[in-house]
Amino acid sequence: MELKSNFGTPKGSIDSERSIIDKMQSELKGVFFRVIQLMLREEEQSIPLTCIGILLQYMQITYIIFNRQIWKVWQNEIITKRLNKIFGYVLLTPYFEMVSFSGFAAMMYVCLGLVLFALMLIFLLSYSINKSKSSFTWPIIFLRFLINLFLQVLYMPIIDLLLSMLSCETNQNGVLVHQLFDVECWSNIHIVHAIVAIFGTVLFFVLCTLFSLLYYESRYLPHEASSKLTGRANAIFLTYELVMVICYTFMNGKNYEYLMILIMMIGSFTIFWKIHVEAPFNNVYVQKSWSMLVAMNMWGATLLCFSKFLEGVLFFGTIYAWLVGLPLMMIGILKSEKMHYDLLLLNLNKVQDPDQVLNLTNHLLKLLFKSQQQQNYSLLLDGFLEIHKATCTRDDCYLKQKKQINLRQQKPLFKEGTVTERDVDLLMVIGQIYFHQIKKFPNELNLRIRYSFFLLDNMKQRQQALNELIQAETLCPSLDNEFTIFRYKQIIEYEMNAVQNENFGNLDVASELAFQNYMRSFQNKIERATLMHMDFWSQLQEDSPDLGKMNDIGAKINLAIIQVEELWNKMQKMTSNLPKAMRLYAKFIIEVLQDKDYGEELLERSRLLQNQNNKMKNKQTISLISSDDIGYEPQPTLLVSTAQEKFAQITNLNLACCNLFGYNKSEMINRKINIFMPNLYSKFHDAHIDNFLNSNDSKNISKERLVYIKMKSNYILPCYIYLKVIQSIDDNVQLAAQFRIPKSFKPSCYLILDSEDVIDSISSSCIPLLNIDSKQISHKKTSISDILPNYMQQKQLFLSKLGGPIVFNSATQSFVNNSQQASQELDDQDKREDSIQFQCFTSEVTNENQDQVVGYVVKLEQQGLDMSMNLEVNNIQQKVLGNSMQFKYNPSKALYFGEYVADTNSQRVDQTILWDQNDQSSMISSVQGGAEVLKSQVKTEKSDEQNVQQQIKINYGEGIKTLRLFENRVQDIDDKEEMISEEDDQQGKSVFQRQSDMENDQDGQQQDFNNVFRSRKNLSILVNSQITPPVMTKLSWTANILILALVALSFADFFVCQAQYDEIFNTILLVEDTNLRNAELSAILTSVQNLQMLNSNIWQFNTSADIKNFEQSEKSKLNKSITQVSILNKRLMLSDIFISDELNELQSDDVVKMNFGDNEYQQFDIMEATQQVVSKALNIRDKELNKIHYEDSDVEFIIFNLLNDLVFQLRNSSNLYAKGLTNKTTEKKETFLVIIGISAGALGLGLLLLTIITLSVNKTQEEILFMFLDIPDKTVKYLYNKSENFISNLQVGEEEEVLSELEELEKEELEELNRTLKSKRKKKKFKNTNKDQRNYIFAFFLIVLILEAYFIFNYFMSDTLLTNLAQLVPEINATCRAESFFRFVDNAERSLYINRNMTILNEDSYTTVKTNIDRLYALDSSIHQEHSLNVDITNPIYSDAFKQMFMLQPCTILSQEMKEMTETECQTFADGAMYQGMAVGVARYFENIRYIMTIYDQFWNNSKANFTTIARGFTKFKNITMDSDNERNYILNLNNFNQSVESRVIQESYNRGTFRYLIQQMQKAIQDDIDSAQTQRLALFIVFEVLLFIIYFILWLPLVLKMTRDIWRTRSMIMMIPLKVIQRIRSIKQFIKDFLHAKEADS
């Protein structure tokens, strides 16, 4: 054998490097291929459900031509809008249009969750297949359900739902908003939803397309719904749906209608061609359904095009034409039948397109299937065969050669079932078409795959089908073809394994070629593995062995050995007759793998096979090659010819067959086989053989069945027959028949009846049992009723599987049933002695050619053995030898032996049978007399038993060991020649301590430990046991707990953060509400004061109409303020946000002191006090003007309390809300800090545990590798030399010579091994360059950093937001308080003018007013100062609003948004001060108030003051009091100064509008900041969860599997060491002992 090593070459080497992308691609392919193959196993899709799914898909695809962008093209809005709604019901989006955007988004995430769940199931199933080679049932069922749901029902609804998230349009204001919801697109949370929708669409489309390409049955199985030629048509259909959904989602407006219609027409035609014209579906109902779908879709798209261009121009009512055309299209599709006459007339000699060949062969197979149902298709096939016969120009054309030679010799054995001659011709022609066209188009992949299916399904040539798939695999197949090849290679190999014993070691031509290829590959892989062993032992011989390199080489060795074993198993499945390969493998196992026991066993088997081959000359064991070898057959065998001149004649037989039939060989040779069978069978046996030859019905070939032969004595005998087809030298077919006599454990007899129940034949056992013989039935027609009178009455019972009981009365020659016999037994004991009980079985004999019953076979099986046997033996004794003769029956020889004994020594029946252990047959065949025969037989059997007992010697010393104390250790004395002095820690122990330790061990464990080292096989079973190591279990549990903790923490962090943000924002709203309540209460006071002053005639009105209008205006303002206060008060009361205990006390305790007049006070909480104000204000609103004066209790209550104690508590309430907001921003930081601390602790602890366990895994591997260092150097060199010698002999082809010299050198090698083991050992230094554990730890550390970075980033993002909000709190509070404080100052000033004696804020009114005026400046400067400090953190929404209101002109906003005045009024008011910005306007407001107070000081206590001089023309004097009190009149006239009027307008409109607008914009700005933060957190949360999914399912689970296999592989490296060496190395023995104990503890 000449073989050069290719080890180390890039191509074909085990360690060939591939790029990471290629590895990932290959791994992903493997995942999906394995899972889809598992899903397709034993799956049967329901055809009705599939058709229902197609109907739903039609409704979905019809929605495209009536979608929301194009339905108006039909120009019939009433019908098309209704159709849009109807077909929209099969989608998901319409159900959520009327709900809310959040519900819509939630449904989107639910759909994506289903997709991710399907992916999780895929990875879990793939992982379980890799890990345990098994799978669970429910994940497969659930995954099948999900995938079928996606492909048949939910594909377009989910795609539409995802893309609808991106459906946006520009509104009138130029803002991009969602088409279905009032949500601004690509801002805040919509950004995250949109990005997720894009990735989800891509992922879902790829997943569905992948399964549509792969998830189907590619063979022609017309009864299965999933059977089709290709899945590409479905993939194109899914792509068309995606493109159309994208079109009507993004193509908005009439400008895109033409483009959309063009795309629709192109897509509709494409799917119509791919699905209807090419017809990929094999099931007729599924194909019809799909054809109707695409045809009606094409019809709809065409009429849509007509409607666009011609509706209203040439004709009207296109929509009605569409509706009318639908049923016509359905009827046309149902009635249409594609005959493809062009394919049947195809000239194969001139064909240039391989697709034509594929279409022709597929069509022929369909016609072949349909021809079994309708005769018309048979005519088409007959016509094709005639045309092919006429056009075929090849010399080897099957149809032309058919008449030239005997047809019976050329017909192969097709699949089971009746195959007509025409079908055989067609299949042979199809096979030739495939064969010759593949030669013509050798690179056509689909042609080879279809040919392999044809060989597998129709020709049953599995090996040749496998070869075609292997050839196709080299042609760079596409993804779907690659999966088909992958799947069917495994299916064919499985089927070949299931029928591996059918050919009994012989191979056909295709299998022989494949075997030779396997043999060459087998040699290459053995050489590669041997070179790796040499590399390993060479590495171990170094002074400082590198454990890392040893581990890597060990991994390659393990993979190489696995490849060798897999290839060896494949070769064994192909044939069991492989002595040369077995000899090579045995030498490899002995010399390289050091498994002497198994290797020698294989060598012995190879010797036996070789000897058998030499003797039998390649003759089959059971079937024959030629008639000359029939003499070698031990069983009765004969050959029957099928040639015309010797049809059904016996051409040869062996002596065993002659003995069976009772003839001489010359009496049977050249005679028809019909003579030697019962008459009933011989009549139609010729027709049976001819039918077999014509139909190639192989159901009775290569399997045993029961028949009946007719012996020379004219009696029948049941036999098992085994048939085999033999090809003779003259190219004729011969049938080899081999017979085997069945065993029967009860005496039985057989009768064959014709159709009229007349006995045709009987077995010889009918003589002793029924007292009839063949002469009786041959001389006279004997019916079964003559012998069995009641047989016909119970015939149906006897025809059943269990048969029925019946009793025979020999005295009367009649039969009675069992119940009658029981009654007779009670009446007559003598009559009972003449009766025999049988169990009767009847079977029909059918002529298969005519399908009619021609007779019956009756089997009578004797029951009641003890009784009936005694009766029978007694009868025989009376008739033959008298009463003193006793009989014994020997089942092994089927003979009775007689012996004269005394009558008193009568034995029981069970004692009169000489049972043999291997054969307990009790069938009665004959009776022979003679006591001497019996005695001689008994003596012989006894002597044989004694010899057997002498051969079985009991080893009483088994399990007893002799121990010897040597070097302070107790060792087996058998090991005395191999004792080795070792320096270890055990030397310090005394022998007594060691003995005590040994006695403490359990006997069972010690026995198991001893059994392990008795043979290498036991040791291999233990070492290679694939139980999950405890360290890997700990690692998996640690990772699982860590992942669950991270998932829980991430969910807690996300949802807690969302809740905290919402709570803070709601708190801000509470701050705004409480200040707005204060402002509205001040507005109530303003309205009451205005009404009071109107009643007091302070205002200067010219007419009563002006007075009436002013009164109604003030009461309207009062009513609005009352309503607003009630609403705000209700909001504050119903809020469930906890602010502080002080606020709760203020809102629940009576802390507000309210004045009810006449120094009467009552205590209320702030809510009640506010309600009291509202109640009094309602009273004032309903009062007449003349009753609104200070003396009125309601007016006094409002004015006094809204200027004193209630104001204190209202301001206190707003301060507490602001303080609570500040506290919440601080407290929430602590919450996020706790979360980051927990996550850091969990990740740190997890990293620590993962690091420790990973180091433990590495330590486990290192301990195993370290044991190799205990092997002596000379032993390592010896093992290296063994491998080197083997590879040298292998390369020069001397394995046979080495085999012959093995026995001579075995003794020398054993001595050399013992010498190396006795050599002195020295401890070696070692190094370990294995970086796997470091890489793992680094990867763990990097992943932990990435995961912790998520929590850290979230913390800093939240901290930044909360810090900014805390910094904004003073500005928020000041801006919210400004309106109420400005109005309070104005109200206090006017109260001062009316009644200086009334206190304000419980102090002197004048002092309070002066102080509050100063505070106005402080508040205004505080607002500007805080805004300047916060300019860097303020949202642009508020910054722009603040700048617009204070620095630029606010008139546009105040007039358009706040509706306070017209823009022109704003521009001209106060000499244009407001138009310059509210900074100027507020300053003017302050100056007006200060100026009026200056005038007030001049009038106070100065009745002689000159009003005209002081007023300076800003107002006219009015005698308000109607008296001479000038001082009071002057002060009251201050309210009519121009400055006072201007201040009131500024306060009522400009200040109020400005600050309320700023509050609104501040609210929007803060909401925008929080929404942005929530959007970022949502995006990060989704990315984090996806990252966890990838880390766990794609990275971690394969890593765990790899690490587990690495441990198994490293442990299996122990088997590289010879067993004798293992027995001498203490560290290895201790490791194995510990591992054994751990395994027992685990089990």
Side-chain angles (χ1 to χ4, degrees), residues 517-788:
N517 293 330
Y518 281 156
M519 185 64 189
R520 286 191 291 270
S521 178
F522 188 61
Q523 294 170 348
N524 293 337
K525 293 183 184 300
I526 284 181
E527 180 184 4
R528 185 183 297 120
T530 306
L531 290 172
M532 291 178 183
H533 277 80
M534 293 174 59
D535 193 12
F536 180 85
W537 298 123
S538 176
Q539 179 67 33
L540 190 58
Q541 289 184 78
E542 295 183 0
D543 295 336
S544 297
D546 189 343
L547 299 185
K549 286 185 178 180
M550 290 172 58
N551 189 38
D552 294 339
I553 298 172
K556 297 175 183 178
I557 289 174
N558 182 263
L559 181 58
I561 293 175
I562 290 176
Q563 292 180 351
V564 170
E565 291 176 349
E566 289 178 351
L567 198 53
W568 170 249
N569 293 331
K570 287 183 180 180
M571 295 169 65
Q572 281 187 311
K573 292 174 183 178
M574 294 181 66
T575 177
S576 59
N577 189 10
L578 63 174
K580 185 176 180 180
M582 189 177 295
R583 186 165 59 249
L584 174 63
Y585 188 47
K587 282 295 299 174
F588 172 71
I589 290 175
I590 294 175
E591 299 294 329
V592 180
L593 301 186
Q594 302 297 325
D595 190 352
K596 184 178 178 182
D597 296 337
Y598 183 53
E600 290 181 349
E601 179 184 345
L602 288 178
L603 283 177
E604 185 61 28
R605 286 168 55 189
S606 68
R607 291 191 190 99
L608 294 176
L609 282 175
Q610 190 64 44
N611 294 336
Q612 184 178 0
N613 290 340
N614 294 334
K615 290 180 181 180
M616 303 300 294
K617 297 180 181 179
N618 297 325
K619 184 186 74 67
Q620 291 181 335
T621 305
I622 296 177
S623 59
L624 303 173
I625 298 300
S626 64
S627 61
D628 298 333
D629 298 328
I630 196 170
Y632 292 103
E633 288 295 327
Q635 297 291 335
T637 308
L638 57 81
L639 296 177
V640 177
S641 175
T642 61
Q644 291 289 351
E645 63 276 9
K646 290 186 177 181
F647 185 73
Q649 290 185 10
I650 299 174
T651 59
N652 202 352
L653 72 163
N654 58 6
L655 292 179
C657 188
C658 296
N659 294 333
L660 177 66
F661 284 88
Y663 290 91
N664 295 325
K665 187 173 183 179
S666 59
E667 294 175 328
M668 298 185 67
I669 201 80
N670 293 329
R671 301 187 68 184
K672 293 195 71 172
I673 190 63
N674 308 45
I675 301 174
F676 307 101
M677 61 182 61
N679 300 330
L680 193 65
Y681 292 93
S682 63
K683 297 176 183 178
F684 53 85
H685 191 259
D686 286 351
H688 181 68
I689 296 179
D690 192 61
N691 179 64
F692 161 72
L693 295 173
N694 290 332
S695 64
N696 296 281
D697 185 5
S698 60
K699 64 182 180 181
N700 293 325
I701 300 298
S702 300
K703 59 178 67 174
E704 283 191 340
R705 57 192 180 95
L706 185 65
V707 297
Y708 299 91
I709 64 172
K710 186 169 70 173
M711 299 183 294
K712 188 174 183 179
S713 60
N714 212 28
Y715 291 101
I716 63 172
L717 179 67
C719 290
Y720 285 110
I721 187 173
Y722 180 88
L723 293 178
K724 192 74 174 181
V725 177
I726 303 298
Q727 192 79 17
S728 62
I729 299 176
D730 57 354
D731 211 20
N732 285 320
V733 172
Q734 289 184 323
L735 295 177
Q738 195 170 83
F739 301 94
R740 180 175 64 86
I741 301 175
K743 296 178 181 180
S744 179
F745 298 96
K746 293 182 181 180
S748 305
C749 62
Y750 296 85
L751 302 92
I752 296 180
L753 315 178
D754 60 14
S755 59
E756 298 177 355
D757 295 319
V758 176
I759 300 176
D760 179 76
S761 304
I762 62 173
S763 64
S764 60
S765 55
C766 289
I767 300 174
L769 295 178
L770 300 180
N771 295 330
I772 59 173
D773 54 20
S774 61
K775 293 181 180 181
Q776 296 177 10
I777 63 173
S778 62
H779 292 165
K780 177 184 177 183
K781 268 193 173 183
T782 306
S783 173
I784 188 66
S785 300
D786 298 339
I787 301 175
L788 308 172

Side-chain angles (χ1 to χ4, degrees), residues 89 177 343 437 510 778 782 825 836 912 1024 1069 1094 1179 1201 1304 1462:
Y89 288 144
V177 296
L343 290 177
Q437 295 302 323
S778 62
T782 306
E825 287 177 354
I836 302 177
T912 61
N1024 293 323
L1069 295 181
L1094 180 63
N1179 295 336
N1201 289 296
E1304 302 174 3
T1462 63

Side-chain angles (χ1 to χ4, degrees), residues 1 144 239 268 442 473 694 706 725 815 1167 1200 1495 1619:
M1 181 192 309
R144 283 176 184 164
T239 306
S268 299
E473 196 173 15
N694 290 332
L706 185 65
V725 177
F815 282 74
M1167 296 299 178
F1200 183 84
I1495 302 300
L1619 181 61

Side-chain angles (χ1 to χ4, degrees), residues 776-837:
Q776 296 177 10
I777 63 173
S778 62
H779 292 165
K780 177 184 177 183
K781 268 193 173 183
T782 306
S783 173
I784 188 66
S785 300
D786 298 339
I787 301 175
L788 308 172
N790 296 330
Y791 172 81
M792 298 304 297
Q793 300 175 3
Q794 304 182 36
K795 185 176 181 179
Q796 293 302 322
L797 174 63
F798 301 148
L799 283 170
S800 64
K801 184 177 181 180
L802 300 178
I806 198 167
V807 178
F808 169 65
N809 192 315
S810 60
T812 61
Q813 290 292 317
S814 63
F815 282 74
V816 295
N817 60 29
N818 197 22
S819 60
Q820 293 172 338
Q821 177 64 24
S823 62
Q824 290 176 3
E825 287 177 354
L826 295 175
D827 298 338
D828 190 359
Q829 181 67 22
D830 296 335
K831 197 171 185 177
R832 185 190 62 183
E833 294 176 357
D834 293 335
S835 301
I836 302 177
Q837 182 175 346

Side-chain angles (χ1 to χ4, degrees), residues 1575-1641:
T1575 301
Q1576 294 177 16
R1577 291 187 66 92
L1578 177 60
L1580 288 174
F1581 175 74
I1582 294 173
V1583 171
F1584 183 77
E1585 299 303 324
V1586 172
L1587 182 63
L1588 285 181
F1589 181 89
I1590 294 174
I1591 290 173
Y1592 187 76
F1593 289 101
I1594 300 180
L1595 300 179
W1596 175 250
L1597 293 182
L1599 178 62
V1600 170
L1601 181 61
K1602 179 183 179 299
M1603 296 175 70
T1604 304
R1605 287 178 173 175
D1606 286 343
I1607 294 178
W1608 292 343
R1609 184 254 309 155
T1610 307
R1611 192 172 64 229
S1612 65
M1613 290 172 59
I1614 296 176
M1615 299 311 299
M1616 295 171 58
I1617 309 173
L1619 181 61
K1620 188 174 288 293
V1621 177
I1622 293 176
Q1623 292 173 344
R1624 306 302 186 274
I1625 307 298
R1626 173 170 298 173
S1627 58
I1628 302 178
K1629 292 178 67 176
Q1630 185 61 40
F1631 172 81
I1632 294 174
K1633 184 176 181 180
D1634 295 339
F1635 179 71
L1636 177 62
H1637 292 170
K1639 181 181 177 182
E1640 292 176 350

Side-chain angles (χ1 to χ4, degrees), residues 1096-1111:
S1096 301
N1097 197 25
I1098 295 177
W1099 309 120
Q1100 294 180 353
F1101 290 109
N1102 297 325
T1103 63
S1104 59
D1106 294 337
I1107 296 173
K1108 189 65 176 178
N1109 291 336
F1110 183 80
E1111 178 187 357

Side-chain angles (χ1 to χ4, degrees), residues 307-351:
S307 178
K308 178 64 178 176
F309 294 100
L310 303 177
E311 178 73 17
V313 179
L314 295 180
F315 54 86
F316 299 90
T318 311
I319 187 66
Y320 300 106
W322 175 77
L323 291 172
V324 173
L326 289 180
L328 298 179
M329 297 293 295
M330 294 176 62
I331 294 173
I333 294 295
L334 289 174
K335 293 294 184 180
S336 65
E337 188 69 28
K338 299 179 182 179
M339 294 302 180
H340 293 293
Y341 296 113
D342 56 334
L343 290 177
L344 298 177
L345 297 173
L346 181 66
N347 189 348
L348 293 170
N349 301 317
K350 299 180 180 180
V351 65

Side-chain angles (χ1 to χ4, degrees), residues 1018-1071:
N1018 294 341
L1019 182 61
S1020 177
I1021 293 174
L1022 174 65
V1023 172
N1024 293 323
S1025 58
Q1026 293 187 350
I1027 59 174
T1028 304
V1031 65
M1032 292 308 303
T1033 303
K1034 296 177 183 177
L1035 185 64
S1036 299
W1037 273 106
T1038 302
N1040 293 340
I1041 294 174
L1042 181 60
I1043 289 293
L1044 290 176
L1046 288 175
V1047 171
L1049 275 175
S1050 63
F1051 272 87
D1053 179 50
F1054 177 75
F1055 288 106
V1056 168
C1057 177
Q1058 297 291 94
Q1060 301 285 15
Y1061 286 168
D1062 293 340
E1063 184 178 350
I1064 290 174
F1065 182 73
N1066 291 331
T1067 305
I1068 293 174
L1069 295 181
L1070 292 177
V1071 172

